[in-house]
Amino acid sequence: LRRQAELRKACLLTDVDPAAIGMPEPRARKVMQKKPPKGHKQQRLYAQKQAAIQKNLDEMPEKIRQWKEEVAKEKDKARSSLPF
């Protein structure tokens, strides 16, 4: 097959029809399947990451309020009940 390809190329360079000298027709090429590029993982997951960050930012005031309440409870618990 490689020699046939070389002969075919030589025929085409010298303007001779390869079928005229008994060469078989070239094989039909398969159509390439087009797939979108995979891309980098960071680029693929960027939208999901931004959505998660925004969700956490929306929940942040509630989390801060709960944390402050817990700290206040711990502080009250650690404080002595004696006035002196």
Side-chain angles (χ1 to χ4, degrees):
L1 292 175
R2 184 176 66 209
R3 289 184 182 165
Q4 286 180 358
E6 290 173 358
L7 284 172
R8 185 181 324 284
K9 288 176 189 175
C11 288
L12 293 174
L13 287 173
T14 58
D15 295 329
V16 176
D17 184 26
I21 62 168
M23 296 285 298
E25 289 294 321
R27 291 188 296 149
R29 302 251 179 202
K30 293 182 182 177
V31 177
M32 292 292 291
Q33 188 177 15
K34 298 285 183 178
K35 288 197 284 187
K38 186 175 177 182
H40 294 282
K41 184 176 180 181
Q42 180 181 3
Q43 293 170 343
R44 290 193 316 260
L45 300 179
Y46 182 77
Q48 294 173 352
K49 187 174 182 180
Q50 290 300 317
I53 289 172
Q54 188 59 45
K55 182 180 136 238
N56 288 336
L57 283 174
D58 293 341
E59 296 172 355
M60 194 54 61
E62 179 64 24
K63 288 182 180 181
I64 292 172
R65 187 187 60 76
Q66 289 176 355
W67 175 79
K68 284 185 177 181
E69 287 177 0
E70 290 175 11
V71 169
K73 285 180 186 177
E74 291 295 323
K75 196 172 185 181
D76 286 342
K77 199 184 291 185
R79 186 177 298 151
S80 174
S81 62
L82 298 176
F84 50 89

